[in-house]
Amino acid sequence: MLSSTLILVLIGLAVISAVAGVVGCYAFLRKRALVGDAVAHSVLPGVAVGFILSGTKDPFYLLLGGLVFGYLAILSIDVIHRKTKLSEDSAIGLVTTIYFAFGSVFLSVISNSGNGDQAGLKDFLFGKAATMTEMDVIVFLIAAILVVISVGVFYKPFLLLSFNKDFANTQGWKVNFYETLLSLMTVLIIAIGLQAVGVVLMSALLIAPAASSRYWTNSLRKMMAISAVFGAMAGIGGGLLSLLGEDMPTGPWVIMILFLFTLITLLFAPEKGYFFIRRRNSNNLRKINEENVMKALHQLNEIGIKEVTLSSFLDKRKMDTDQLQKTFNNVSDKDWVTKTNDVYALTERGAIEAKRIVRLHRLWELYLTQRLNFKEDHIHGTAETIEHLITDELEAQLVKELDYPTEDPHNKEIPYN
Amino acid sequence: MNSIEVHNLTVAYNQLPVLWDVDFELPKGQIIGIVGPNGSGKSTLLKAIMGLFPLSSGYVKVLDSSLEQMRSSIAYVPQRETVDWNFPASVKDVVEMGRYQPGKLFRKLSNVDKQLAVEAIEKVKLTPFMDRQIGQLSGGQQQRVFIARALAQGAEVYLMDEPFIGVDVATEKAIMDLLQAMRDEGKTIILVHHDLQSVTANFDYLVMLNTRLVTHGPIQEVLTAENLQSTYGGQLNLFSQLQQLIQTKDFPIREKGFEDK
């Protein structure tokens, strides 16, 4: 049963995760995933200091403390990297651990003073959505709205900055200002996201939706939208699952659902997904088989054999029998051959298609010898592959460049329609 | 009027001086090549002119004014490999960036802006690839995307960093033709080029650089065996030892607060 507190918590989770997904796109595209991790760890001492100084768990003070320390972490990385000869990843590693160590010390101080449990600060490690109050959710919502507005208003500079910073500079954009703004937004989102997933897993909330969404689109706007949806669904799903058990942290559940999305993406995404690649490979293989059979039929035609059976075909060409049967089925489905009893013959349309393949093969052989100075005994192999690839436009170019040739290098006729 | 004027320019990179006291004025309406061996500071010079590097000394003028005043009259084409071509953007997206106006956040691209972007794409012959994601282009096509973005900016002076690197012969010729057409319209093209063999014949003017300025002038005058020797004949030994010393001792390149009266 959904109580109103529960709905509130789920809304909070969904909003935090969705906005983290949006901001994460920039961290991902700017290749700053590790900086997100460093900031998440560095927000912890900030939250603790916010609590110690204000003496309350008022989300405003905790957020403020987190913001200050998160931004300090970014500055620290920058200063360490520039002023010492340490590489950036070393600087990030140092900052992550040092700030986190301070955070742990502060937390134990608070805990020893006796009001740690009451503060629920330990939940910042792995996140515990159930402890969210109405006030928390309102503060998060305001922060989230601010971030969404900023991403909208500053779309152009953020895009330029992420893609080509030097160019943005030469155009006259105040790149430092926008970079700082983007950093502050990231810190803000991380600071509010800690409530949902905690310090350790925050960088996953930032990067996983962005990395997955990149697979589904080539447009930055769509990428941000998809990333937000992934984030929101993981937030709600993780929230519900964590509420099933007593004392269950939210973070791990949210991240596991995100992992599921990533897995689905890697399997099913267009162009780069596993199944897409597999289907493309099998389509290519089928096309190659079909075109090879058609080409062979044309060549048999040239020496007077107009009709073949599977076995008479196999006398002339080597091919796996099952594959051949399947290929013959395919080409007769396409109406390229007729089948009467067990005898196959080219149809009129099939003859045109067969001629096309033979023509491409022989044109390419001619191109290799004439233009690329290949020896005649070296051209057949590459032409075998290339004949399946050449598009109509490329064919037109080939014919023109070779000046409408009629014979290939082996003095065989190049058949035109 | 000069296209670019550089005065006493010194730039250091990680304390290592890569440009020393470079001083020249470049004419307008020409194709100007900046040549020199690897590590001679060619790209750094372009970046310094564009304000991408803090100058250790000296100043730069664009069309006789400061860079800030002339931003919209100068376009920069960075080296191709400085960006991630996997970025989620199409050819059109990138070229339209040339029409962005800094600071004008709420201004949507007008139809004129979009038309200018389309025309720039047409000029570099990428119209069939307009909506393609930029990672799915060949190296030469990617280079042309960058040039189209600069064209869309509609500038007077174009600074191009190695536009011929990793580009096939056909594209090289296509780009050269385009640059010549731009020059004939009165534009100034200043490009960094590492290889003296191929396209140099099409340049009007040369800046020969090897950390310090060797010489500059119309190509017929400066392309001499002697100048080539001092540009490409290796680093001067004493000079580079001094450079190293400045770096290892972390010594300031220019003194401050002590001047002749």
Side-chain angles (χ1 to χ4, degrees), chain A residues 204-220:
Chain A
L205 193 64
L206 219 48
I207 298 305
S212 305
S213 65
R214 179 66 190 87
Y215 274 78
W216 295 96
T217 173
N218 281 324
S219 138
L220 178 57

Side-chain angles (χ1 to χ4, degrees), chain B residues 156-177:
Chain B
E156 286 300 311
V157 181
Y158 296 79
L159 300 192
M160 305 188 179
D161 200 348
E162 297 273 15
F164 296 109
I165 223 167
V167 153
D168 57 286
V169 184
T171 308
E172 188 175 287
K173 183 166 182 317
I175 293 178
M176 203 62 233
D177 289 347

Side-chain angles (χ1 to χ4, degrees), chain A residues 30 33 62 146 152 236 239 330 369 391:
Chain A
R30 293 169 73 214
L62 302 190
L146 281 176
I236 293 172
N330 289 341
T369 50
T391 60

Side-chain angles (χ1 to χ4, degrees), chain A residues 29 31 153-157 159-160 162-164 166-167 169-173 178 214 218-220 223, chain B residues 50 52 71 76 78 83-84 86-89 97-98 100-107 133-134 146 149 153:
Chain A
L29 291 171
K31 314 202 182 322
V153 171
F154 302 116
Y155 178 78
K156 282 187 216 161
L159 166 66
L160 283 174
S162 312
F163 175 59
N164 196 347
D166 275 353
F167 179 78
N169 251 317
T170 64
Q171 242 185 353
W173 293 89
Y178 292 112
R214 179 66 190 87
N218 281 324
S219 138
L220 178 57
M223 183 179 157
Chain B
M50 291 305 310
L52 296 174
R71 284 248 187 243
Y76 173 64
V83 305
D84 175 11
N86 241 331
F87 197 88
M97 287 176 192
Y100 286 4
Q101 287 180 22
K104 302 206 172 159
L105 298 168
F106 294 99
R107 187 181 160 277
Q133 194 268 324
I134 50 174
F146 265 3
R149 181 175 67 179
Q153 287 180 270

Side-chain angles (χ1 to χ4, degrees), chain A residues 156, chain B residues 92-93 95-101 106-114 117:
Chain A
K156 282 187 216 161
Chain B
K92 207 163 96 193
D93 292 337
V95 176
E96 281 180 352
M97 287 176 192
R99 297 307 305 163
Y100 286 4
Q101 287 180 22
F106 294 99
R107 187 181 160 277
K108 274 198 157 186
L109 287 184
S110 69
N111 286 337
V112 178
D113 289 324
K114 288 185 178 164

